[in-house]
């Protein structure tokens, strides 16, 4: 999406299979962290009580140096559409992925089908 960089996990670890990592882009880290925390609070305090059993709130997590390097690597960037990379160049660069206080949200991948075709 326009406000987030969303990365689907495709590895072999069962703990992360069926998950996406959502990072805010286009805002400074302190603002990105605040927005992610507000989203998490809204999911837990408003959506989950209303949609109990139909929603699994995201989990806040810190972005470590290894994950930051991977996100900035050609592996990730080359998989993105060229027009999105060009449009997001400034927005993604505003987010300092080397900041030790960078937060992200680990969410359920709603397009994941464990026994079928995932989109």
């Amino acid at each position: 999406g326009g406000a987030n960089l969303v990365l689907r996990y495709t590895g072999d670890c069962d703990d992360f299979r069926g998950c996406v990592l959502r990072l805010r882009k286009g805002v400074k880290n302190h603002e990105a962290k605040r927005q992610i925390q507000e989203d998490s609070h809204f999911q837990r305090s408003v959506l989950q009580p209303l949609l109990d059993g139909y929603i699994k709130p995201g989990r806040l997590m810190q972005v470590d140096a290894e994950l930051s390097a991977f996100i900035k690597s050609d592996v990730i960037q080359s998989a993105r559409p060229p027009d999105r990379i060009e449009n997001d160049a400034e927005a993604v660069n505003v987010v300092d992925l080397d900041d030790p206080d960078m937060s992200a949200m680990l969410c359920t991948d709603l397009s994941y089908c464990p026994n079928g075709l995932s989109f």
Side-chain angles (χ1 to χ4, degrees):
N4 298 288
L5 180 62
V6 180
L7 304 170
R8 174 188 285 169
Y9 180 74
T10 59
D12 296 325
C13 178
D14 289 337
D15 292 340
F16 297 113
R17 190 172 288 125
C19 291
V20 296
L21 185 66
R22 191 181 110 197
L23 298 123
R24 295 291 295 182
K25 61 184 181 185
V27 292
K28 297 287 185 187
N29 280 341
H30 65 279
E31 180 65 14
K33 183 176 183 176
R34 184 189 65 75
Q35 289 176 0
I36 288 283
Q37 288 172 335
E38 285 179 0
D39 290 351
S40 177
H41 177 73
F42 180 78
Q43 287 178 11
R44 291 181 189 290
S45 63
V46 177
L47 293 180
Q48 190 173 25
L50 288 173
L51 303 171
D52 189 33
Y54 295 98
I55 185 172
K56 183 178 177 183
R59 185 175 67 188
L60 290 173
M61 61 181 295
Q62 295 300 117
V63 175
D64 64 18
E66 183 179 355
L67 180 56
S68 174
F70 182 67
I71 292 168
K72 293 186 289 186
S73 74
D74 286 341
V75 172
I76 296 296
Q77 297 305 316
S78 65
R80 300 180 70 214
D83 61 324
R84 182 58 68 109
I85 293 171
E86 186 176 305
N87 292 338
D88 289 347
E90 288 184 32
V92 172
N93 289 337
V94 168
V95 177
D96 180 7
L97 292 169
D98 294 323
D99 184 335
D101 201 31
M102 183 64 195
S103 294
M105 188 179 297
L106 188 64
C107 304
T108 300
D109 180 353
L110 300 176
S111 68
Y112 178 71
C113 300
N115 297 317
L117 179 63
S118 293
F119 299 97

